[in-house]
Amino acid sequence: MPSKTFVPAFEAKVGNWTYYSCLMSYAAVAREINFAHELGGNQDLGTMIQRGVGARTTEITNYLLTNENRFLGAIIVAAWGGAPEYIPLEMEKNSENSDVLSGMDRNFGVLTFDGTHQFFALDGQHRLKAIKDAVKRNPELGREDISVIVVPHFDDEAGRRRTRRLFTNINRNAVKTTAQENIALDEDDGFAILTRRLLDEHDFLGQDGVVQIFSKVGTDGELKLATRQVGVTGTAWTTIGVLYDLLTDLGFGLHESMNKTSQRATDDILDESYDLLAKRIDELLTACGNMRERYEAHAAPKDLRAPKGRDGEGHPFMRPAVQVQIARAARHIIEQRLLDWPELLTRLSELDWKMTSPPFSAVWQETPDGASRKGKMIPAKENNQALYELLLVHLAPSSRAQIDRALRAFRTVKNERYPVTAEELARRLPIATEQD
């Protein structure tokens, strides 16, 4: 039977939260509190509720071991399994101290750590790691104290939602969370919510490895969310950050509440938006060079991105930079009513889906190497902008002047003539603007 640890605590309430403000020794903290990634069933994105532990814990550990003026702020801890056992206490009063102690024991009691709950750091993971490391190196530090705030966490969808929202609220008002962390955790941003839902429910995006979520998972709690690039040898189609951007651009025509990042849309609007965005993603994957079909048929998706020795024949829609510009161009074309969605998909399907082909060559640099033809992406902002402008004139040019600007942009970034002439592109001009 596990031993019990009793911790003095005040029960408090704020908003719709009941929480407990405790005093714990470093030894008790090191023994009783864990990292979220250590808890069973908490590996996937849907239950991710904590930021990774970074390298700066070494600095905090050295501070605890060497600085006599050391002091750490409170750690916020979630009790996995609901409200922890709390026993209210009343201070003994006599005639001498009754006036002084009147009301002082309001909501005072004891929290019991008996092994029936697991506790994980919701805020203060770096401090927790530093305390664990410092106590190992100097057990005497275990006698020192730190304030700990304990909140209940229920392991169901509603409970995870509450805890994720608390996490983002805490960090928005303290250390700023990254864009990727907000996507993984935010319970008010509709596009973040639907990004996670697609990763859980979509029959393609939800497959293992299709969307890169983490770029690093370390042994000491390090969790680094993927940003905007898939590794050269990676198998993913895209990353969580790019998927969010794609949904945002493909979210044209949705209810206006979907664009309010600080106010959650209703469940009905979220469901309707999910269905529409999932359909648009499916249609885009087909129109853009039969992306999904080719991905699932390929034994090694990385070879679809860049065939060995023939990099330039790689599929452009395997490149996040291309994905972003396609979605961006699609939104512009639809919002400007240059094409409807089905016609846009048809025109996308007519492009030559190879990296060396126009317009994708705007972001590609081929480097012939003997018998093989290698190449690499050009990450410059100017090249990405040129790709966007060229996509517009390939799909739905609005004027001859726009075509000329796009061709000049290509010539500026690549120092060569664009392989498609202005006259060829002008064939898709609206009749009324052909002579503009």
Side-chain angles (χ1 to χ4, degrees):
M1 182 175 181
S3 60
K4 294 185 178 182
T5 300
F6 299 97
V7 177
F10 282 94
E11 184 183 61
K13 297 180 184 298
V14 60
N16 58 6
W17 286 96
T18 296
Y19 68 95
Y20 304 91
S21 182
C22 312
L23 181 67
M24 294 183 70
S25 68
Y26 281 178
V29 166
R31 182 176 63 250
E32 303 289 351
I33 301 174
N34 298 306
F35 300 103
H37 77 279
E38 295 174 344
L39 302 176
N42 198 41
Q43 292 287 349
D44 65 347
L45 181 64
T47 56
M48 181 189 163
I49 43 183
Q50 120 168 44
R51 301 168 74 189
V53 179
R56 69 175 183 268
T57 55
T58 300
E59 181 179 335
I60 303 174
T61 302
N62 291 336
Y63 167 75
L64 292 175
L65 291 168
T66 61
N67 195 320
E68 292 182 355
N69 297 310
R70 56 187 171 269
F71 183 88
L72 293 180
I75 296 174
I76 301 178
V77 169
W80 186 282
E85 183 179 352
Y86 173 76
I87 304 171
L89 300 177
E90 184 175 326
M91 295 181 183
E92 182 178 351
K93 303 179 181 64
N94 56 44
S95 58
E96 294 182 2
N97 64 21
S98 59
D99 290 337
V100 175
L101 295 180
S102 178
M104 292 293 290
D105 58 351
R106 179 180 68 88
N107 297 342
F108 176 70
V110 170
L111 275 184
T112 304
F113 290 69
D114 61 358
T116 59
H117 287 77
Q118 290 178 289
F119 296 83
F120 63 88
L122 189 63
D123 179 64
Q125 300 91 316
H126 296 92
R127 278 163 280 164
L128 173 60
K129 181 66 166 60
I131 288 171
K132 288 176 178 285
D133 291 346
V135 169
K136 286 179 182 177
R137 292 168 60 181
N138 181 6
E140 288 298 311
L141 286 174
R143 301 178 180 180
E144 299 191 357
D145 300 312
I146 187 172
S147 294
V148 176
I149 297 172
V150 177
V151 298
H153 169 73
F154 295 88
D155 188 25
D156 56 27
E157 182 53 34
R160 289 192 292 271
R161 181 182 299 175
R162 275 172 58 84
T163 307
R164 283 195 296 260
R165 178 172 284 136
L166 178 61
F167 174 91
T168 50
N169 287 343
I170 290 168
N171 286 280
R172 277 176 175 160
N173 294 296
V175 179
K176 185 174 178 61
T177 52
T178 67
Q180 284 69 39
E181 286 168 340
N182 288 336
I183 295 167
L185 301 165
D186 202 302
E187 283 294 344
D188 295 312
D189 181 344
F191 289 107
I193 294 168
L194 295 189
T195 298
R196 298 194 299 268
R197 184 171 171 183
L198 281 165
L199 295 178
D200 286 337
E201 301 178 13
H202 193 272
D203 57 355
F204 177 62
L205 301 180
Q207 294 179 29
D208 288 344
V210 172
V211 178
Q212 185 178 347
I213 296 172
F214 299 110
S215 62
K216 180 179 181 180
V217 179
T219 57
D220 278 334
E222 301 98 332
L223 293 175
K224 186 175 181 181
L225 285 158
T227 53
R228 307 189 64 78
Q229 294 183 337
V230 174
V232 175
T233 61
T235 62
W237 169 62
T238 194
T239 71
I240 182 174
V242 172
L243 178 59
Y244 173 86
D245 289 345
L246 299 183
L247 296 184
T248 302
D249 274 328
L250 295 175
F252 47 83
L254 299 182
H255 192 276
E256 60 182 10
S257 62
M258 285 294 296
N259 294 313
K260 297 179 180 179
T261 58
S262 60
Q263 182 177 341
R264 185 185 178 96
T266 66
D267 288 344
D268 285 345
I269 290 172
L270 287 170
D271 288 342
E272 292 172 5
S273 301
Y274 174 83
D275 291 340
L276 185 56
L277 285 171
K279 183 173 183 289
R280 287 176 180 171
I281 285 285
D282 286 338
E283 292 170 337
L284 202 62
L285 286 166
T286 298
C288 294
N290 293 315
M291 178 67 249
R292 175 176 177 174
E293 180 182 340
R294 293 180 63 187
Y295 182 98
E296 293 181 328
H298 231 282
K302 67 179 181 180
D303 292 334
L304 179 60
R305 178 182 294 107
K308 188 174 182 181
R310 298 175 289 112
D311 295 12
E313 295 180 18
H315 201 305
F317 210 51
M318 282 290 288
R319 303 281 181 169
V322 175
Q323 296 160 11
V324 167
Q325 300 310 323
I326 287 174
R328 182 184 168 203
R331 184 182 191 111
H332 175 85
I333 290 169
I334 296 297
E335 290 184 337
Q336 295 300 311
R337 300 183 179 179
L338 299 170
L339 296 174
D340 61 18
W341 179 248
E343 180 62 18
L344 173 60
L345 293 172
T346 297
R347 293 193 179 185
L348 279 168
S349 69
E350 293 170 353
L351 295 174
D352 185 11
W353 289 90
K354 293 192 299 186
M355 281 308 308
T356 52
S357 297
F360 312 113
S361 54
V363 292
W364 182 254
Q365 182 65 54
E366 194 165 46
T367 54
D369 180 22
S372 66
R373 301 188 66 83
K374 298 182 179 179
K376 62 181 180 180
M377 293 290 290
I378 307 173
K381 180 179 179 180
E382 295 81 3
N383 292 75
N384 282 285
Q385 180 63 22
L387 173 58
Y388 169 71
E389 295 180 24
L390 288 165
L391 281 165
L392 292 179
V393 298
H394 271 272
L395 299 170
S398 59
S399 70
R400 182 59 183 259
Q402 182 192 29
I403 293 173
D404 292 340
R405 285 195 301 270
L407 299 187
R408 284 197 301 271
F410 179 86
R411 189 181 301 115
T412 298
V413 298
K414 294 296 295 286
N415 195 31
E416 60 186 71
R417 184 183 295 274
Y418 194 58
V420 182
T421 66
E423 287 69 27
E424 291 176 275
L425 295 170
R427 293 172 186 167
R428 279 188 165 161
L429 281 173
I431 294 175
T433 60
E434 285 184 356
Q435 302 304 318
D436 287 358

